[in-house]
Amino acid sequence: MPRIKNEKQYEALRDQGMSKEKAARIANTPDSGVKGGKAKPYEERTKSELYEKAKQVGIDGRSKMNKQQLIDALRED
């Protein structure tokens, strides 16, 4: 059974209605639970930055996506 790195965040995301898979991906990211708010909007990031973020959260098909598709997938995910 896979482990969740940040159980508290995982449970909060599940309570918000996220799927188990999506909540686990978010709760298992390296910066899980770290407060931020200083990240640039997706539109101001490069395609390679968006690709790395998509890779980090496990978005399938990211290698074939253009910048706008990466933005849409990150927002949807």
Side-chain angles (χ1 to χ4, degrees), residues 25-68:
R25 272 200 317 256
I26 293 169
N28 283 335
T29 57
D31 57 353
S32 164
V34 176
K35 293 195 177 201
K38 297 175 185 164
K40 297 185 285 189
Y42 288 144
E43 289 77 12
E44 293 179 16
R45 299 182 193 189
T46 65
K47 182 181 175 188
S48 61
E49 289 173 323
L50 295 168
Y51 176 85
E52 287 303 315
K53 182 66 176 173
K55 183 178 176 182
Q56 188 178 56
V57 297
I59 294 175
D60 293 329
R62 63 188 172 269
S63 64
K64 294 183 170 115
M65 293 181 184
N66 64 31
K67 183 176 178 177
Q68 187 58 53

Side-chain angles (χ1 to χ4, degrees), residues 15-31:
D15 289 345
Q16 292 175 15
M18 288 188 187
S19 70
K20 290 179 182 180
E21 181 181 300
K22 183 175 180 180
R25 272 200 317 256
I26 293 169
N28 283 335
T29 57
D31 57 353

